Amino acid sequence: MYAKFHSIGAFVPSKILSNEDLEKMVDTSDEWILKRTGIKERHIAGDNEVTSDMAAKASKIAIERAGLELEDIDLVVCATVTPDYFNMPATACIISDKIGIKNVQAFDISAACSGFVYALSIAKAFIESGMKKHVLIIGAEKFSSLVDYTDRSTCILFGDGAGAAVISATDNKDEAIVDIHASADGSYADFLVTPAPGSVNPVSQKVIDEGLNFVQMKGNETFKLAVKTLTKDVKSILAKNGIESKDIPHFIPHQANYRIIKAVGDALKMTEEQVVLTVEKYGNTSAASIPMAINDIYESGRLKKGEMMLLDTFGGGLTWASALLPFAGELL
Ligand code: UT7
């Protein structure tokens, strides 16, 4: 039994936070943000719009596009670092309830920006072992809930959104996920961290006073390590599977910073046509970034059935992951 990437869906909240808006909030400029990150705007969820709302909308689209009924889904995995609740119930349980999936195993995983590819590896393993047939995987973030909008080093980067995919069992090897590499190195845990709430820093006045509930990032150090790791990881998965970068029609990297994507793309000798870019309009949406990017090329008609995708991501943990897989869904 193999696992195939059966369908994709996404949801983007309507409210836009532009660089010009941020100029009025912190000491920054449209020119600096564009030059250093490639981001022009990001979408921000409404006050009453939470992670599971966006995830449920993306999930419904993915299930419909797979041509399945809700009863067909036998596992729900949600990758998020901005769950509805820290730490229970899992957002996957709430999403299942919101879309009407009953009595099915559902859980969250925490792998920051690498979460969607980690979830893909979980779906693949469950399917190949014969335990599940149709796994709903989701990357969803209300990252704006973690951001300190007085900290110019982070608030310009992140946005909100959700993407979902159905991974299904198949006996056709041609449409199967080829390979997934996923890894982590906790010795770099302090590069990207939200210090509270957690067992290290339970909620207290200190947490509030010092803003420990907001994301903190060693931006420049993370940047350098991201370029190095992403490049190495992609070279390794391509070599292991005997595929050259020129034969990949869709390189879909995590959308954190245009300069990181360009450096990795150049190192792999990828052309502009091969590299998928959404960072300009969505910013960094963490676990949602890759499925939102896949959905973009799907809806614009660029992604065709059978075409090979190369996913590559890097995030807090530190975690990183790459995947090589054909798109096995039907066209719109
Ligand atoms: O998604 C998970 C993985 N995340 C990433 O991969 C993100 C990786 N990091 C980055 O994308 C970049 O490091 C940033 C965009 C966050 C920062 O870019 P940078 O080129 O690494 O800048 P820097 O942190 O070295 O800062 C350069 C200067 C500093 O000023 P001085 O010390 O040179 O006077 C900063 O204070 O830019 C200043 N700066 C800003 N200026 C205007 C930092 N943020 C801003 C800002 N507007 N928003």
mmCIF file of all heavy atoms in Angstrom, residues 53-70:
data_model
loop_
_atom_site.group_PDB
_atom_site.id
_atom_site.type_symbol
_atom_site.label_atom_id
_atom_site.label_comp_id
_atom_site.label_asym_id
_atom_site.label_seq_id
_atom_site.Cartn_x
_atom_site.Cartn_y
_atom_site.Cartn_z
ATOM 1 N N ASP A 53 -11.241 27.721 12.978
ATOM 2 C CA ASP A 53 -12.190 28.218 11.970
ATOM 3 C C ASP A 53 -11.542 28.201 10.583
ATOM 4 O O ASP A 53 -12.131 27.728 9.607
ATOM 5 C CB ASP A 53 -12.616 29.669 12.283
ATOM 6 C CG ASP A 53 -13.431 29.769 13.554
ATOM 7 O OD1 ASP A 53 -14.244 28.861 13.810
ATOM 8 O OD2 ASP A 53 -13.260 30.758 14.289
ATOM 9 N N MET A 54 -10.321 28.727 10.521
ATOM 10 C CA MET A 54 -9.618 28.775 9.227
ATOM 11 C C MET A 54 -9.317 27.354 8.752
ATOM 12 O O MET A 54 -9.488 27.025 7.566
ATOM 13 C CB MET A 54 -8.322 29.575 9.377
ATOM 14 C CG MET A 54 -8.562 31.035 9.717
ATOM 15 S SD MET A 54 -7.042 32.007 9.728
ATOM 16 C CE MET A 54 -6.326 31.527 11.288
ATOM 17 N N ALA A 55 -8.889 26.497 9.689
ATOM 18 C CA ALA A 55 -8.551 25.113 9.353
ATOM 19 C C ALA A 55 -9.777 24.347 8.850
ATOM 20 O O ALA A 55 -9.686 23.564 7.891
ATOM 21 C CB ALA A 55 -7.973 24.417 10.582
ATOM 22 N N ALA A 56 -10.927 24.577 9.493
ATOM 23 C CA ALA A 56 -12.150 23.862 9.090
ATOM 24 C C ALA A 56 -12.534 24.242 7.660
ATOM 25 O O ALA A 56 -12.928 23.382 6.863
ATOM 26 C CB ALA A 56 -13.287 24.192 10.060
ATOM 27 N N LYS A 57 -12.381 25.530 7.326
ATOM 28 C CA LYS A 57 -12.733 25.973 5.965
ATOM 29 C C LYS A 57 -11.797 25.338 4.930
ATOM 30 O O LYS A 57 -12.238 24.858 3.891
ATOM 31 C CB LYS A 57 -12.694 27.500 5.886
ATOM 32 C CG LYS A 57 -13.905 28.113 6.583
ATOM 33 C CD LYS A 57 -13.867 29.619 6.611
ATOM 34 C CE LYS A 57 -15.119 30.127 7.340
ATOM 35 N NZ LYS A 57 -14.932 31.405 8.004
ATOM 36 N N ALA A 58 -10.499 25.326 5.228
ATOM 37 C CA ALA A 58 -9.537 24.711 4.297
ATOM 38 C C ALA A 58 -9.803 23.208 4.168
ATOM 39 O O ALA A 58 -9.744 22.640 3.064
ATOM 40 C CB ALA A 58 -8.115 24.943 4.802
ATOM 41 N N SER A 59 -10.142 22.571 5.279
ATOM 42 C CA SER A 59 -10.351 21.111 5.296
ATOM 43 C C SER A 59 -11.556 20.706 4.459
ATOM 44 O O SER A 59 -11.503 19.718 3.705
ATOM 45 C CB SER A 59 -10.561 20.621 6.731
ATOM 46 O OG SER A 59 -9.443 20.907 7.509
ATOM 47 N N LYS A 60 -12.641 21.474 4.584
ATOM 48 C CA LYS A 60 -13.847 21.149 3.818
ATOM 49 C C LYS A 60 -13.548 21.169 2.323
ATOM 50 O O LYS A 60 -13.989 20.302 1.574
ATOM 51 C CB LYS A 60 -14.942 22.189 4.107
ATOM 52 C CG LYS A 60 -15.765 21.876 5.329
ATOM 53 C CD LYS A 60 -16.931 22.845 5.393
ATOM 54 C CE LYS A 60 -17.651 22.730 6.713
ATOM 55 N NZ LYS A 60 -18.555 23.838 6.958
ATOM 56 N N ILE A 61 -12.764 22.157 1.903
ATOM 57 C CA ILE A 61 -12.410 22.266 0.476
ATOM 58 C C ILE A 61 -11.581 21.050 0.059
ATOM 59 O O ILE A 61 -11.828 20.439 -0.984
ATOM 60 C CB ILE A 61 -11.640 23.582 0.213
ATOM 61 C CG1 ILE A 61 -12.520 24.786 0.531
ATOM 62 C CG2 ILE A 61 -11.139 23.643 -1.230
ATOM 63 C CD1 ILE A 61 -11.768 26.127 0.557
ATOM 64 N N ALA A 62 -10.598 20.692 0.889
ATOM 65 C CA ALA A 62 -9.715 19.565 0.536
ATOM 66 C C ALA A 62 -10.509 18.261 0.426
ATOM 67 O O ALA A 62 -10.288 17.458 -0.487
ATOM 68 C CB ALA A 62 -8.595 19.431 1.567
ATOM 69 N N ILE A 63 -11.450 18.039 1.356
ATOM 70 C CA ILE A 63 -12.229 16.789 1.343
ATOM 71 C C ILE A 63 -13.128 16.753 0.107
ATOM 72 O O ILE A 63 -13.224 15.734 -0.590
ATOM 73 C CB ILE A 63 -13.052 16.644 2.644
ATOM 74 C CG1 ILE A 63 -12.110 16.494 3.852
ATOM 75 C CG2 ILE A 63 -14.000 15.444 2.570
ATOM 76 C CD1 ILE A 63 -12.777 16.641 5.204
ATOM 77 N N GLU A 64 -13.748 17.895 -0.190
ATOM 78 C CA GLU A 64 -14.621 17.970 -1.375
ATOM 79 C C GLU A 64 -13.814 17.713 -2.655
ATOM 80 O O GLU A 64 -14.233 16.962 -3.532
ATOM 81 C CB GLU A 64 -15.243 19.361 -1.403
ATOM 82 C CG GLU A 64 -16.449 19.479 -2.321
ATOM 83 C CD GLU A 64 -16.924 20.921 -2.365
ATOM 84 O OE1 GLU A 64 -17.187 21.489 -1.290
ATOM 85 O OE2 GLU A 64 -16.982 21.460 -3.477
ATOM 86 N N ARG A 65 -12.631 18.329 -2.735
ATOM 87 C CA ARG A 65 -11.810 18.160 -3.949
ATOM 88 C C ARG A 65 -11.288 16.735 -4.099
ATOM 89 O O ARG A 65 -10.926 16.316 -5.199
ATOM 90 C CB ARG A 65 -10.643 19.155 -3.934
ATOM 91 C CG ARG A 65 -11.101 20.573 -4.243
ATOM 92 C CD ARG A 65 -9.929 21.528 -4.159
ATOM 93 N NE ARG A 65 -10.333 22.894 -4.458
ATOM 94 C CZ ARG A 65 -9.582 23.962 -4.196
ATOM 95 N NH1 ARG A 65 -8.392 23.825 -3.648
ATOM 96 N NH2 ARG A 65 -10.020 25.168 -4.495
ATOM 97 N N ALA A 66 -11.223 15.995 -2.981
ATOM 98 C CA ALA A 66 -10.800 14.586 -3.068
ATOM 99 C C ALA A 66 -11.978 13.707 -3.489
ATOM 100 O O ALA A 66 -11.811 12.503 -3.726
ATOM 101 C CB ALA A 66 -10.252 14.125 -1.716
ATOM 102 N N GLY A 67 -13.168 14.305 -3.544
ATOM 103 C CA GLY A 67 -14.364 13.539 -3.928
ATOM 104 C C GLY A 67 -14.786 12.552 -2.853
ATOM 105 O O GLY A 67 -15.377 11.512 -3.140
ATOM 106 N N LEU A 68 -14.475 12.896 -1.592
ATOM 107 C CA LEU A 68 -14.776 11.971 -0.488
ATOM 108 C C LEU A 68 -15.925 12.502 0.367
ATOM 109 O O LEU A 68 -16.244 13.696 0.343
ATOM 110 C CB LEU A 68 -13.534 11.798 0.385
ATOM 111 C CG LEU A 68 -12.321 11.135 -0.269
ATOM 112 C CD1 LEU A 68 -11.117 11.203 0.669
ATOM 113 C CD2 LEU A 68 -12.611 9.681 -0.634
ATOM 114 N N GLU A 69 -16.512 11.596 1.136
ATOM 115 C CA GLU A 69 -17.500 11.977 2.146
ATOM 116 C C GLU A 69 -16.754 12.135 3.471
ATOM 117 O O GLU A 69 -15.673 11.559 3.663
ATOM 118 C CB GLU A 69 -18.556 10.875 2.311
ATOM 119 C CG GLU A 69 -19.320 10.535 1.035
ATOM 120 C CD GLU A 69 -20.112 11.711 0.496
ATOM 121 O OE1 GLU A 69 -20.602 12.517 1.317
ATOM 122 O OE2 GLU A 69 -20.222 11.832 -0.736
ATOM 123 N N LEU A 70 -17.345 12.875 4.416
ATOM 124 C CA LEU A 70 -16.714 13.075 5.728
ATOM 125 C C LEU A 70 -16.415 11.732 6.398
ATOM 126 O O LEU A 70 -15.392 11.567 7.070
ATOM 127 C CB LEU A 70 -17.625 13.903 6.635
ATOM 128 C CG LEU A 70 -17.835 15.371 6.223
ATOM 129 C CD1 LEU A 70 -18.875 16.026 7.118
ATOM 130 C CD2 LEU A 70 -16.525 16.138 6.281
#
